[in-house]
Amino acid sequence: MAAVTEHSGRRRTRRLTRRLYLALISACVLLVAPLLVSSAQADTARSSAAPTPGAPVAYSTSTVLLGQDQVIGALYRPSSPSPNRSTALFLTHENNDFIGSIPCVQLAQRGFTVLCVKSQYADQAAANWDKLALDVSASVTYLRGLPTVKKVVLVGWSGGGAIMSYYQNVAQNGLATCQAKARIDPCGDDLAHLPPADGVVLLDAIPGIAFSDLTALDASVTNERNLTVRDESLDMFAARNGYSASGSSDYSQAFINRYLAGQADRETGLTAQAQKLRRQVANGKGQYSDDTPMPVGRDTARIWEADLSLLSHTKGAYPLISPQHPDGSAPQVIHSVRVTSADASANDVWDSSKGGFTADSFLSVGAIRATAPKITSDSVSGIDWSSSNTATVNNVKGISSPLLIMSMTGHYWLVPSEMYYDNATHAKNKTLVFVKGAEHGFTPCTACATTPGEFGDTVGETFDYVAKWLTTNYGW
């Protein structure tokens, strides 16, 4: 695919930014937890005390620079020998900084070797999917080079789940999978011979950036050059169409179908626009010689965030983690306990990090085909998942290593998580489990609870389960 070209001045700015970032880490070393040090070679132990059963394992941290683009990572290692240290876990995201994030700290406290990376992209709309895969490749290679590491597992949280499933699919199946005819934006040859990981953990993973962005488009917009030109009959924030600002909205099935069709129309038009701009650049007729800005606005309007009847429960029965059943209760149909999260004011505000695309970046992470999208209480259909390399639903098909999928019932990805499980037909073993009352960030959803403390320690429950699964599959 055609990557976004960077001028030498931008490269110098980026290198300077990284140096300043490293300097800031060094200056704040006594104030930040977990501790980061400025040397990629030396570790600073948090504690020399031997771990006691059930207590957090003491660990040390160091900074590392990875890959051609020298992305910044934090390496967490047990301060003393740990049964889990031979299993190394890797986390990153398309535009977030995972250093110090909950999964990194929680897994380090359980004795695993953990590498968490700050994305080279500050904005989702600027991301290049191939370059993110190359960052994963450099990180897997680095971890395999550590003398204490025997297994490497990819941990994909949120958007990181889309990246990790993509990477493992290409690493295990080669370029044919990301250069398939159905792809709107095929990958480049530089993704050949990626080193595969030994397993994948998906934590409340998104169905893919392109799908997430498609379903956030305001379907009432009818003119991309003037976003105030709208079809009011498709305004999901209008009470006359079923919207409620005080609780769950109640849209008719006819409105839902028309709304999704309107989103698909916008997505089709945006994809055609990006392809046209790319052709103009290739033919020397573009506004710039390398790429073209292509902003997208009014893109915070997911209908299921307002109507809680959508994506509300699974089709099948699965284990549910709760304070009473920390290892998962008897399989049952899983119901979401989430509250509404739609925000009309957010849809009216320009968000450059989400909508500041170029033609190339839109085709890389934002483009997907939607022929006749349908969303119900327990299904998503009418999406051509094979058209986007970001689509988790499609990429899990190529994963043959062990796969753990966990979803949080205080959020809205439980139905897609079941879809990942159903599509992962080649995984050596696969597990799908849900955490009752956990939000997307693993903490208990207090607004979802009927009684205070109903959901218990959802963070501890989540990562105890992950640790047990890892130990079962990779313990030495």
Side-chain angles (χ1 to χ4, degrees), residues 291-370:
D291 200 356
T292 304
M294 200 191 95
V296 177
R298 290 195 180 272
D299 54 353
T300 310
R302 291 193 183 115
I303 196 167
W304 73 72
E305 292 190 24
D307 190 337
L308 298 181
S309 70
L310 300 174
L311 303 184
S312 60
H313 64 84
T314 61
K315 293 180 178 179
Y318 306 94
L320 178 66
I321 295 172
S322 66
Q324 296 75 30
H325 302 280
D327 290 327
S329 58
Q332 57 195 278
V333 172
I334 306 298
H335 292 266
S336 173
V337 299
R338 75 186 193 273
V339 296
T340 58
S341 53
D343 185 353
S345 62
N347 187 51
D348 292 336
V349 176
W350 166 242
D351 181 358
S352 61
S353 66
K354 187 172 182 288
F357 290 103
T358 67
D360 280 352
S361 69
F362 184 86
L363 292 171
S364 180
V365 300
I368 192 169
R369 294 189 189 94

Side-chain angles (χ1 to χ4, degrees), residues 10-29:
R10 292 177 184 171
R11 294 194 185 99
R12 289 194 296 271
T13 300
R14 190 170 60 189
R15 287 195 294 267
L16 177 58
T17 301
R18 291 197 178 96
R19 293 192 189 104
L20 291 173
Y21 186 87
L22 287 172
L24 179 61
I25 290 174
S26 300
C28 297
V29 68

Side-chain angles (χ1 to χ4, degrees), residues 176-193:
T177 191
C178 58
Q179 294 181 348
K181 185 177 180 180
R183 302 294 188 273
I184 293 173
D185 191 47
C187 69
D189 291 342
D190 51 353
L191 296 195
H193 311 300

Side-chain angles (χ1 to χ4, degrees), residues 55-67:
V57 173
Y59 60 86
S60 60
T61 59
S62 59
T63 57
V64 293
L65 298 177
L66 300 154

Side-chain angles (χ1 to χ4, degrees), residues 70-141:
Q70 293 287 276
V71 294
I72 299 169
L75 179 67
Y76 302 71
R77 287 189 281 188
S79 299
S80 56
S82 163
N84 293 330
R85 72 170 178 174
S86 63
T87 301
L89 313 175
F90 172 66
L91 295 93
T92 193
H93 188 267
E94 73 269 13
N95 68 292
N96 280 332
D97 181 357
F98 271 5
I99 296 174
S101 65
I102 285 177
C104 300
V105 174
Q106 289 289 319
L107 293 167
Q109 289 178 345
R110 286 161 176 78
F112 295 97
T113 301
V114 186
L115 176 61
C116 294
V117 162
K118 177 183 183 294
S119 174
Q120 64 171 291
Y121 300 105
D123 300 332
Q124 181 195 84
N128 179 292
W129 207 237
D130 279 16
K131 286 191 175 184
L132 289 169
L134 292 173
D135 291 341
V136 179
S137 176
S139 301
V140 171
T141 300

Side-chain angles (χ1 to χ4, degrees), residues 166-419:
Y166 173 63
Y167 177 87
Q168 189 72 344
N169 184 17
V170 178
Q172 292 188 318
N173 300 289
L175 291 177
T177 191
C178 58
Q179 294 181 348
K181 185 177 180 180
R183 302 294 188 273
I184 293 173
D185 191 47
C187 69
D189 291 342
D190 51 353
L191 296 195
H193 311 300
L194 300 176
D198 298 294
V200 178
V201 175
L202 300 180
L203 301 176
D204 219 32
I206 68 171
I209 296 179
F211 173 81
S212 298
D213 286 357
L214 156 68
T215 51
L217 293 173
D218 183 344
S220 71
V221 171
T222 59
N223 187 336
E224 297 297 337
R225 294 184 178 181
N226 183 356
L227 301 183
T228 64
V229 179
R230 305 170 66 196
D231 179 351
E232 299 297 334
S233 73
L234 285 178
D235 184 358
M236 67 164 274
F237 296 107
R240 64 181 177 277
N241 292 329
Y243 177 70
S244 171
S246 59
S248 179
S249 300
D250 184 18
Y251 303 109
S252 68
Q253 191 60 55
F255 178 81
I256 294 171
N257 292 343
R258 288 197 305 115
Y259 189 83
L260 296 174
Q263 290 182 317
D265 287 344
R266 277 197 75 185
E267 178 72 13
T268 299
L270 289 167
T271 299
Q273 179 185 351
Q275 291 171 326
K276 179 180 179 180
L277 292 172
R278 176 181 278 182
R279 288 193 299 269
Q280 289 175 348
V281 170
N283 294 331
K285 298 180 180 179
Q287 297 183 55
Y288 303 93
S289 62
D290 55 349
D291 200 356
T292 304
M294 200 191 95
V296 177
R298 290 195 180 272
D299 54 353
T300 310
R302 291 193 183 115
I303 196 167
W304 73 72
E305 292 190 24
D307 190 337
L308 298 181
S309 70
L310 300 174
L311 303 184
S312 60
H313 64 84
T314 61
K315 293 180 178 179
Y318 306 94
L320 178 66
I321 295 172
S322 66
Q324 296 75 30
H325 302 280
D327 290 327
S329 58
Q332 57 195 278
V333 172
I334 306 298
H335 292 266
S336 173
V337 299
R338 75 186 193 273
V339 296
T340 58
S341 53
D343 185 353
S345 62
N347 187 51
D348 292 336
V349 176
W350 166 242
D351 181 358
S352 61
S353 66
K354 187 172 182 288
F357 290 103
T358 67
D360 280 352
S361 69
F362 184 86
L363 292 171
S364 180
V365 300
I368 192 169
R369 294 189 189 94
T371 52
K374 295 289 186 294
I375 295 177
T376 69
S377 62
D378 62 3
S379 68
V380 178
S381 61
I383 305 296
D384 182 1
W385 301 105
S386 65
S387 64
S388 170
N389 275 324
T390 75
T392 310
V393 177
N394 184 72
N395 283 315
V396 294
K397 294 179 180 179
I399 296 177
S400 57
S401 53
L403 174 65
L404 170 62
I405 304 167
M406 298 187 74
S407 186
M408 313 297 141
T409 70
H411 198 51
Y412 44 68
W413 293 134
L414 76 169
V415 170
S417 294
E418 183 179 36
M419 296 171 67

Side-chain angles (χ1 to χ4, degrees), residues 416-427:
S417 294
E418 183 179 36
M419 296 171 67
Y420 313 153
Y421 181 78
D422 289 341
N423 278 278
T425 55
H426 293 96

